[in-house]
Amino acid sequence: MSHHLKNEFKFVVTGVELTEDQQQLVGRAIAQAAAPALGELAPRAALPVAVNPKVWWYGDPAKEVLAPVQDYAAGQVGMR
């Protein structure tokens, strides 16, 4: 999968005022729903990352980023 490909999706809510916590909740729910919808299309190591409460990135992180995350996760589950 090329790192140059990009698909962007938007979800707009009108007619209601949302608190910052509610915005985060909605943003997280949308990101969580999108990940399984991509199924086999996404890279195996794809991760959702909150850029801000309203913007999420979902993709295959660079190896320099993924390795420390994997090390941290291994420590959290007692595998280091």
Side-chain angles (χ1 to χ4, degrees):
M1 181 171 225
S2 172
H3 291 281
H4 300 313
L5 298 176
K6 176 182 175 183
N7 292 284
E8 187 173 324
F9 303 91
K10 292 185 180 193
F11 183 83
V12 178
V13 178
T14 62
V16 64
E17 189 171 332
L18 300 174
T19 67
E20 189 172 321
D21 287 344
Q22 290 167 325
Q23 291 176 37
Q24 290 178 12
L25 181 65
V26 170
R28 181 177 299 278
I30 293 167
Q32 289 172 340
L38 289 168
E40 295 296 318
L41 298 174
R44 185 170 170 257
L47 297 172
V49 176
V51 176
N52 68 47
K54 297 181 183 178
V55 176
W56 284 73
W57 172 82
Y58 183 73
D60 196 7
K63 290 179 184 180
E64 304 84 43
V65 174
L66 185 57
V69 172
Q70 288 171 325
D71 288 343
Y72 175 79
Q76 293 297 300
V77 299
M79 297 183 70
R80 275 200 291 169

